[in-house]
């Protein structure tokens, strides 16, 4: 079976870039990305390709090449479903904010809506691919809905979790460590797996395309994220110990990272991990383990989240403590708001929680981020629902210019590791700040000694 028409439901950080790369690498396949959100689709179609809604290095060039050729963005979900032979489901699956499993389980409302819509509209056989991260065994719910509410057509379900990291999505998609495809081990299932393998094989060497049963594939995605997040929490836990022992976390990380069994990646101590995946997926893992009565397993993974929350709070407390235990009315500049560099995504960013903590102490926060809009910063704070939107607007200001953001501030907090921060004129920033001028480097990004030479008081995680 050879696929010539694909549809992807959900034009977000996963669906958008993934489909752009498939379209670029497979000019013979027509790829349509649909979303209910009209503004988002309009932005993907903006004639100025720099205005697409997801910022990723290299993405606009890929979209410019494929868009209008074999890559289309549309709000007409039904026609796209009807036309496609293979449908990726790439909608959001946030942590539930209500009812059973509140705060832990994944909210599958949007997945179910998608499944019902596909079942209602489809008039020919289709392969349905889970792209969003889903709890293990979601495929059985999907199958149930599709088969019991459909028009008698045949649906085959695959799991093909995305491992791209934001900020490096384009390179991750062009050269993935592996592509994982899970499916039924029946003859029909294998045929569907092979159809998807064939698409990726247009640019990914076959030995890097792993196939498994569907449950292993679903669970592998949660496991990969849990392992990565665990590495960050592990190094962050030791960063605190370093601060008491005069060990330096950067030196410790280098020392252990050169052990080939440990490896150098994901050993950067930070103000805490963010992003749409780590916290959500671990909470999900914890919830699933607990629902099978596996208390020790659940507690084990939950500790990764507890450590991360601690690190964010600890960073905010350090700022308060170093500013003589009061930040009331003081201007604190935030450099960075995104959850990591090279993305405009702010979901679960540590900056949000550090800001919230400081606002409880009535600080004034001045935010500069090269890619995050004022609207987004305020939406993030309003979403927390810890104070009124009016209060958020009174206490938080965003700036287009980092030098203006830092002017007359008592302290600067580095929340995101944007490269441009390293090349600022730090002497000029120092001259325009209130003294003593403090820097709290939540990313171990800046040259501490050079800043101290200028006159800054510098505090960095784990040293
Ligand atoms: C992650 C997974 O890496 C990816 O495979 C999966 O598909 C989705 O979730 P992402 O959330 O985009 O990707 O970014 P990632 O690079 O994993 O970083 C997550 C968070 O951990 C960021 O806030 C980052 O700043 C932080 N981090 C990462 C550290 O604090 N230290 C590190 O050493 C690495
Ligand atoms: P991710 O990081 O997983 O890509 P996003 O929130 O960036 O998550 O993107 C998910 C997208 O899915 C959103 O743009 C949302 O509007 C879209 N979406 C959710 N449910 C549906 C649906 N039933 N039909 C079409 N689009 C949907």
């Amino acid at each position: 079976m050879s696929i010539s028409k694909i549809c992807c439901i959900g034009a977000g950080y996963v669906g958008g870039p993934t489909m752009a790369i498939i379209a670029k690498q497979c000019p013979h396949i027509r790829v349509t990305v649909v979303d209910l959100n009209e503004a988002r689709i309009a932005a993907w179609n903006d004639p100025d390709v720099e205005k697409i809604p997801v910022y990723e290095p290299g993405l606009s060039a890929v979209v410019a090449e494929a868009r209008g050729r074999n890559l289309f963005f549309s709000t007409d979900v039904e026609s796209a479903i009807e036309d496609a032979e293979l449908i990726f489901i790439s909608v959001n699956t946030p942590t539930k904010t209500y009812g059973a499993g509140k705060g832990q389980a994944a909210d599958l409302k949007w997945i179910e809506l998608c499944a019902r819509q596909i079942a209602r509209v489809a008039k020919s056989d289709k392969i349905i691919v889970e792209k969003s991260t889903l709890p293990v065994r979601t495929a059985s719910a999907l199958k149930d809905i599709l088969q019991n509410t459909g028009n008698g057509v045949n649906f085959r379900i695959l799991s093909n979790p995305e491992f791209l990291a934001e900020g490096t999505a384009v390179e991750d998609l062009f050269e993935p460590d592996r592509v994982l495809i899970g499916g039924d081990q029946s003859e029909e299932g294998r045929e569907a797996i092979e159809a998807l393998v064939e698409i990726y094989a247009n640019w990914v060497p076959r030995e890097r395309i792993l196939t498994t049963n569907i449950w292993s594939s679903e669970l592998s995605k949660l496991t990969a994220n849990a392992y990565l997040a665990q590495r960050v929490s592990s190094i962050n836990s030791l960063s605190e110990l370093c601060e008491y022992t005069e060990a330096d976390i950067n030196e410790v990380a280098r020392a252990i990272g050169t052990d080939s069994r440990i490896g150098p990646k994901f050993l950067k101590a930070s103000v805490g991990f963010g992003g749409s995946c780590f916290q959500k997926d671990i909470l999900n893992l914890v919830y699933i383990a607990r629902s099978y009565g596996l208390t020790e397993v659940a507690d084990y993974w939950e500790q990764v989240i507890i450590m991360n929350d601690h690190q964010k709070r600890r960073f905010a407390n350090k700022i308060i403590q170093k500013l003589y235990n009061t930040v009331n009315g003081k201007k604190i500049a935030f450099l960075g708001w995104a959850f990591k560099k090279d993305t405009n995504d702010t979901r679960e960013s540590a900056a949000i929680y550090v800001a919230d903590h400081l606002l409880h102490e009535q600080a004034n926060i001045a935010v500069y981020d090269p890619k995050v809009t004022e609207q987004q910063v305020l939406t993030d704070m309003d979403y927390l629902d810890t104070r009124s939107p009016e209060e958020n607007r009174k206490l938080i200001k965003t700036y287009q210019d980092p030098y203006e953001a830092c002017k007359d501030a008592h302290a600067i907090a580095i929340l995101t590791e944007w490269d441009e921060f390293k090349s600022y004129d730090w002497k000029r920033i120092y001259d325009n700040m209130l003294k003593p001028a403090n820097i709290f480097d939540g990313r171990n990004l800046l040259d501490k000694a050079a800043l101290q030479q200028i006159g800054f008081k510098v505090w960095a995680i784990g040293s």
Side-chain angles (χ1 to χ4, degrees), residues 139-158:
S140 72
L142 258 182
K143 197 171 201 165
D144 228 36
I145 296 168
L146 288 169
Q147 275 166 0
N148 289 311
T149 59
N151 305 314
V153 300
N154 186 7
F155 294 107
R156 282 175 273 188
I157 299 172
L158 299 177

Side-chain angles (χ1 to χ4, degrees), residues 162-166 221 225 228 232 266-268 270 272-278 339-340 417 443:
E162 190 48 72
F163 293 106
L164 68 82
E166 291 177 32
K221 169 70 191 210
N225 279 341
L228 291 170
V232 179
F266 269 72
L267 285 178
K268 259 199 155 351
S270 68
F273 61 73
S276 69
C277 284
F278 281 3
F339 82 99
K340 63 188 280 197
E417 71 282 23
R443 295 285 181 172

